[in-house]
Amino acid sequence: MSVLPLVFTSGWASGINAYAVVLLLGVFGATGLSDEVPESLQRPEVLVAAGVLFLCEAVADKIPYVDSVWDSAHTVIRPAAGAWVGALLAGHSGSLSDVAAGLVGGSTALASHAVKAGTRMAVNTSPEPFSNVLLSLAEDLGVGAIVTFAMFHPTAAAVIAGVLLLTGLLVLYFLISRIRRFLRRRAQRREERRLAVRAGTPPG
């Protein structure tokens, strides 16, 4: 059986929460619920590290503006994790080359990461903090549900992940104008504060 659907789905999920993907796959493999998970993801130190980082992300991801800083720091980490997991899955199954799987997993993770980061920037333009919490919880639950589903129905899960990715990219396209307005307003406020400070500084 081709591992490509699982690689695609894990790549999509890695772009949203890479630590959850590594943790879930590792648990599925370590408990014997799936034979598709390579031993590298089942090692205790990998599971512990993924669990700790998942908890860190679970907190940071629900705080306005902190989530965007966290996303920026993970612009390289999430696609790299998607590529790494994809290559491991391909190497374990032998039905797809490591390079091809890495490209699929990494590029899919990069696309879903862009959707997540852009959506969070748009949400942060709202003054209330509750939308961040709700969106973060929805992402965590969605990643958990789809990765779990993918272990038993990889093709169907890949179709769902593809639809979600395409929908997210379309939504992001329409949110770009809102994000640009927010960034312009923030830059304008910074400039106004800078000018106010300069005007209040006595000549030296």
Side-chain angles (χ1 to χ4, degrees):
M1 182 181 66
S2 174
V3 76
L4 182 59
L6 183 57
V7 169
F8 180 85
T9 303
S10 63
W12 170 84
S14 295
I16 298 174
N17 194 325
Y19 306 123
V21 173
V22 173
L23 182 60
L24 280 171
L25 291 178
V27 168
F28 277 121
T31 55
L33 291 175
S34 174
D35 297 328
E36 300 293 329
V37 181
E39 292 184 3
S40 301
L41 295 175
Q42 303 178 35
R43 295 168 57 180
E45 61 270 27
V46 173
L47 293 176
V48 170
V52 171
L53 290 170
F54 170 75
L55 291 176
C56 292
E57 176 149 336
V59 175
D61 206 39
K62 295 172 178 60
I63 304 174
Y65 298 105
V66 174
D67 58 352
S68 290
V69 174
W70 184 269
D71 286 338
S72 297
H74 284 72
T75 299
V76 174
I77 295 174
R78 287 172 183 157
W84 176 62
V85 170
L88 287 178
L89 292 171
H92 180 71
S93 71
S95 61
L96 182 69
S97 76
D98 297 4
V99 175
L103 289 174
V104 171
S107 59
T108 307
L110 179 60
S112 61
H113 166 75
V115 171
K116 171 175 176 146
T119 302
R120 287 309 181 86
M121 289 181 67
V123 168
N124 282 334
T125 63
S126 175
E128 46 78 28
F130 304 107
S131 53
N132 296 74
V133 175
L134 293 175
L135 186 56
S136 177
L137 287 173
E139 290 170 350
D140 293 341
L141 292 173
V143 166
I146 291 182
V147 171
T148 300
F149 187 56
M151 300 308 300
F152 306 100
H153 305 282
T155 302
V159 171
I160 295 173
V163 171
L164 290 174
L165 179 59
L166 180 59
T167 302
L169 290 172
L170 290 174
V171 170
L172 181 61
Y173 174 79
F174 290 107
L175 288 175
I176 286 176
S177 60
R178 180 175 179 176
I179 296 172
R180 286 176 175 171
R181 287 196 300 269
F182 170 72
L183 293 176
R184 282 197 298 267
R185 287 197 301 268
R186 189 167 66 174
Q188 184 178 2
R189 286 196 296 268
R190 286 178 178 174
E191 181 66 15
E192 290 172 352
R193 286 196 296 269
R194 187 182 67 82
L195 292 175
V197 170
R198 177 179 293 181
T201 302

